[in-house]
């Protein structure tokens, strides 16, 4: 593990090791994708959420390589450590935001990520009757896929979203089990 | 009034990582492939997606630069703007070259040696005529439409050994644009 | 005193209309229609004063995609050009925000709470 504080590591990687593209380009591309999914699934938001999670999972499987290569971060010693790395380095280097880690369960296996400034959510106003839609559900899939590649099987889900009028945007991440070495297959 | 004005400024002209974008795009292509019948339809879908992104982005770009009608610009100036500034705004760098067709008055070509959106895309050899860069072509088309220079923009794979994903974005302007230019 | 805000598509369809009073609404809609003609002749951007009629001054902004935003105030209001210009810019930005919403497909009618919020704050400023 690096001796530098994680926040500084995250900032340095973002500044020096990341090729960048316009955030609006990504937000609009993602938005078009979500809108397309809503049309394809005829506003069955449960299926849209599922599809976003699957796509996120596939992205996570590949993103982790990028993460490990660019951040130089080694194995985490605890799940608590993992959470800090996810927020201060992972989110920082890919999205240039640092979600807050909080709400730990007593057994140390569940935490929440609070995203104060979601780059994917710019300009978004959800359509009427879309209370079931977790617009940024792709994050849950990415977390799931990336962590699986580092031998952690997790369950990640949205608890609340400011786009839905809630007070905060919160993702709950729960460690299910530590995996033995196996290469997961991409989800169709 | 000033405080409402300041509050209305669109924030976030920042960046996110290229890998994330490129992976998101690759997944979008993979998803789209299941919902279309054939290469042409896939390219059209990607082109539409790009167009809708470009249309919306150009609202923001126009906004910030306060352009008030670009009709006085010449085609070549506009193309240079696209080749450098639009590419930079999207992908952080300009495209690699800009050419005007020698035979066709209404055609220009922008060449990118390794289009960002293709970073994580590998096209199987049997559908080598597919270009997922139809997405950026859509963005360019929307930007040109927005600047009142309507054109049809298509992407063509033109890989070399050195740059296997080299892509030519062919810009074919509508007749009225060429006529307007000629009358200047 | 603010009178109305209208957003009209490139082809002349009303996308949004907010009137300061129900009793004046018909008159306001008529003025917005009159304003369309004035818009035709103008280039994109801040079109300034389009017309004055029935003691109402209508100002306009044409986005580069041809969407027309009309903002009207009581003609006897002392209106600083800078305030009018800023109001138009604010409405233009708000419209851009709407068009960037992935769930908004032009030329849908505008039902955005955010947009309404901006219109309310601009109209309140002038009242």
């Amino acid at each position: 593990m690096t001796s530098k504080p994680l926040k500084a590591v995250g900032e340095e990687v973002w500044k020096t090791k990341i090729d960048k593209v316009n955030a609006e380009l990504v937000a609009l591309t993602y938005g078009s994708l979500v809108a397309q999914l809503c049309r394809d699934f005829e506003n069955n938001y449960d299926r849209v959420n599922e599809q976003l999670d699957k796509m996120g999972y596939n992205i996570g499987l590949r993103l982790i390589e990028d993460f490990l290569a660019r951040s130089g971060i080694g194995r985490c010693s605890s799940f608590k450590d993992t959470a800090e790395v996810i927020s201060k380095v992972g989110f920082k280097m890919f999205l240039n935001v640092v979600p807050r880690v909080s709400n730990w369960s007593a057994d140390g296996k569940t935490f929440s990520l609070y995203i104060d400034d979601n780059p994917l959510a710019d300009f978004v106003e959800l359509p009427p009757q879309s209370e079931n839609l977790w617009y940024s559900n792709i994050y849950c899939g990415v977390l799931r896929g990336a962590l699986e590649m580092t031998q952690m099987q997790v369950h990640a889900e949205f608890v609340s979203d400011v786009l839905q009028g809630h007070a905060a945007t919160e993702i709950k991440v729960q460690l299910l089990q530590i995996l033995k070495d196996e290469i997961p297959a991409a989800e169709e | 009034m000033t405080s409402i004005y300041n509050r209305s400024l669109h924030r976030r002209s920042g960046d996110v990582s290229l890998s994330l974008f490129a992976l998101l795009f690759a997944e979008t292509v993979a998803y789209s492939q299941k919902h279309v019948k054939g290469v042409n339809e896939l390219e059209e879908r990607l082109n539409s997606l790009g167009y809708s992104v470009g249309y919306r982005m150009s609202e923001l770009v126009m906004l910030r630069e306060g352009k008030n009608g670009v009709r006085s610009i010449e085609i070549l100036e506009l193309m240079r703007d696209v080749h450098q500034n639009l590419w930079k705004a999207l992908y952080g760098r300009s495209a690699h070259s800009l050419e005007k067709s020698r035979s066709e008055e209404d055609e220009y070509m922008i060449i990118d040696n390794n289009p960002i959106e293709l970073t994580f895309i590998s096209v199987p050899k049997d559908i080598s005529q597919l270009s997922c860069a139809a997405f950026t072509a859509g963005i360019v088309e929307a930007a040109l439409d927005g600047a009142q220079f309507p054109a049809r923009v298509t992407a063509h794979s033109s890989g070399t050994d050195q740059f296997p994903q080299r892509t030519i974005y062919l810009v074919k302007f509508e007749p009225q644009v060429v006529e307007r230019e000629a009358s200047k | 005193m603010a009178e109305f805000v209208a957003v009209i598509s490139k082809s002349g369809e009303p996308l949004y209309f907010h009137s300061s009073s129900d009793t004046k609404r018909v008159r306001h809609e008529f003025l917005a229609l009159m304003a369309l003609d004035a818009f035709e002749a103008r280039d994109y951007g801040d079109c300034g004063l389009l017309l004055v009629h029935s003691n109402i001054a209508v100002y306009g902004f044409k986005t580069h995609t041809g969407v027309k935003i009309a903002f009207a105030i009581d003609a006897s209001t002392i209106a600083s050009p800078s305030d009018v210009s800023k109001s138009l810019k604010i409405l233009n930005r708000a419209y851009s925000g709407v068009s960037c919403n992935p769930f908004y497909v032009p030329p849908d009618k505008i039902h955005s709470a955010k947009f309404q919020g901006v219109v309310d704050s601009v109209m309140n400023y002038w009242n």
Side-chain angles (χ1 to χ4, degrees):
Chain A
M1 278 298 301
T2 174
S3 54
K4 244 199 198 141
L6 284 177
K7 188 159 181 281
V9 172
E11 275 165 18
E12 193 187 311
V13 175
W14 167 254
K15 276 197 191 107
T16 62
K17 301 238 174 71
I18 301 289
D19 297 317
K20 301 175 180 69
V21 296
N22 185 307
E24 277 151 7
L25 169 66
V26 182
L28 293 171
T29 302
Y30 183 72
S32 296
L33 171 68
V34 179
Q36 182 68 55
L37 292 178
C38 292
R39 284 192 290 275
D40 288 346
F41 293 121
E42 289 165 342
N43 295 340
N44 180 335
Y45 296 119
D46 289 333
R47 289 191 65 197
V48 174
N49 291 338
E50 204 185 302
Q51 183 65 39
L52 286 172
D53 183 86
K54 275 193 192 144
M55 294 174 79
Y57 178 80
N58 294 337
I59 291 174
L61 293 181
R62 298 165 89 175
L63 202 63
I64 187 72
E65 285 168 38
D66 215 61
F67 170 82
L68 293 169
R70 292 181 203 263
S71 70
I73 300 234
R75 192 158 276 270
C76 289
S77 51
S78 68
F79 196 53
K80 282 216 156 83
D81 218 18
T82 302
E84 293 297 317
V85 168
I86 289 171
S87 78
K88 294 189 168 74
V89 187
F91 268 85
K92 174 67 183 177
M93 64 191 265
F94 292 119
L95 289 158
N96 198 22
V97 294
V98 177
R100 283 176 297 126
V101 172
S102 181
N103 215 15
W104 279 99
S105 64
D107 60 6
K109 287 193 178 156
T110 306
F111 68 92
S112 290
L113 282 167
Y114 292 88
I115 305 174
D116 289 329
D117 194 16
N118 185 359
L120 293 182
D122 282 353
F123 315 116
V124 179
E125 277 182 272
L126 296 180
Q129 282 143 13
S130 62
E131 294 80 21
N132 287 351
L133 176 64
W134 293 121
Y135 181 83
S136 308
N137 212 41
I138 205 156
Y139 289 148
C140 296
V142 174
L143 287 166
R144 195 165 60 88
L147 289 172
E148 196 167 303
M149 287 295 271
T150 58
Q151 266 60 61
M152 283 175 268
Q153 187 179 46
V154 301
H155 178 72
E157 64 176 8
F158 267 90
V159 173
S160 64
D161 190 348
V162 298
L163 288 179
Q164 289 288 3
H166 304 139
T169 300
E170 180 187 347
I171 297 175
K172 201 164 230 160
V173 183
Q174 183 189 11
L175 177 64
L176 299 173
Q177 59 169 325
I178 307 285
L179 299 166
K180 301 190 185 64
D181 277 301
E182 250 173 54
I183 312 289
E187 290 183 359
E188 287 295 303
Chain B
M1 173 81 355
T2 311
S3 64
I4 313 177
Y5 182 76
N6 290 339
R7 261 185 286 134
S8 75
L9 275 162
H10 287 291
R11 9 76 62 142
R12 205 190 307 276
S13 40
D15 298 321
V16 295
S17 91
L18 186 152
S19 323
L20 184 61
F21 168 71
L23 284 170
L24 173 65
F25 182 70
E27 270 310 300
T28 304
V29 172
Y31 169 79
S32 303
Q33 266 176 308
K34 301 197 190 84
H35 287 256
V36 297
K37 306 180 218 44
V39 169
N40 284 341
E41 222 186 293
L42 177 59
E43 274 196 21
E44 262 173 50
R45 231 203 201 201
L46 293 176
N47 188 282
S48 284
L49 181 66
Y51 192 92
S52 115
V53 170
Y55 178 89
R56 293 165 208 266
M57 268 208 81
S58 66
E59 288 270 12
L60 299 170
V61 170
M62 291 303 274
L63 208 62
R64 275 196 278 280
E65 295 169 30
K67 288 206 182 81
N68 261 4
V70 204
R71 273 182 267 205
S72 53
I73 284 189
E74 288 174 356
I75 292 182
L76 189 57
E77 249 183 277
L78 178 70
M79 289 307 299
R80 278 205 198 105
D81 207 22
V82 169
H83 162 265
Q84 284 167 6
N85 298 331
L86 179 63
W87 242 257
K88 269 210 189 95
L90 295 171
Y91 300 127
R93 61 157 171 80
S94 38
H96 293 109
S97 55
L98 169 66
E99 286 171 23
K100 183 181 187 317
S101 163
R102 260 163 277 170
S103 49
E104 306 291 326
E105 196 53 45
D106 57 355
E107 282 182 7
Y108 285 76
M109 288 158 289
I110 291 181
I111 295 147
D112 194 323
N113 289 333
N114 43 10
I116 304 279
E117 74 264 43
L118 302 185
T119 306
F120 289 104
I121 308 247
S122 50
V123 179
K125 287 207 167 59
D126 59 339
I127 47 167
S128 57
Q129 72 272 30
L130 164 70
S131 181
C132 298
F135 175 75
T136 298
I139 296 181
V140 176
E141 204 173 299
L144 291 174
D145 276 356
Q148 313 307 317
F149 281 76
R152 178 107 178 87
V153 185
T154 47
H156 306 269
S157 315
S158 166
T160 60
D161 287 331
Q162 195 187 7
F163 300 115
Q165 290 188 319
R166 183 171 174 273
T167 300
I168 298 178
Y169 297 90
L170 180 65
V171 178
K172 193 175 176 72
F173 286 101
E174 299 279 305
Q176 70 263 33
V177 175
V178 185
E179 279 156 30
R180 193 175 69 205
E181 183 90 343
S183 66
K184 280 195 188 131
Chain C
M1 163 88 202
E3 295 287 330
F4 68 83
V5 173
V7 180
I8 302 156
S9 79
K10 188 175 189 172
S11 52
E13 287 168 49
L15 303 179
Y16 173 90
F17 201 90
H18 181 81
S19 183
S20 60
S21 97
D22 286 330
T23 49
K24 288 193 204 166
R25 192 182 166 113
V26 176
R27 196 190 327 165
H28 287 165
E29 284 178 2
F30 174 69
L31 286 169
L33 206 58
M34 277 181 72
L36 276 181
D37 285 334
F39 263 121
E40 278 317 299
R42 308 293 178 101
D43 214 340
Y44 299 87
D46 188 336
C47 300
L49 180 64
L50 296 171
L51 63 94
V52 182
H53 193 283
S54 323
N55 203 36
I56 292 176
V58 184
Y59 296 86
F61 191 104
K62 210 180 196 181
T63 77
H64 77 288
T65 50
V67 169
K68 300 170 259 275
I69 300 171
F71 169 62
I73 54 176
D74 187 314
S76 48
T77 312
I78 303 183
S80 99
S82 146
D83 278 351
V84 170
S85 185
K86 280 200 175 118
S87 300
L88 287 173
K89 277 217 178 83
I90 289 167
L91 292 169
N92 178 32
R93 284 175 183 160
Y95 170 73
S96 287
V98 169
S99 83
C100 286
N101 180 9
F103 295 105
Y104 175 76
V105 184
D108 278 358
K109 296 237 184 323
I110 296 172
H111 294 294
S112 153
K114 273 187 201 162
F115 188 77
Q116 187 59 50
V118 172
V119 170
D120 288 341
S121 64
V122 171
M123 291 191 68
N124 284 339
Y125 171 82
W126 288 94
N127 293 343

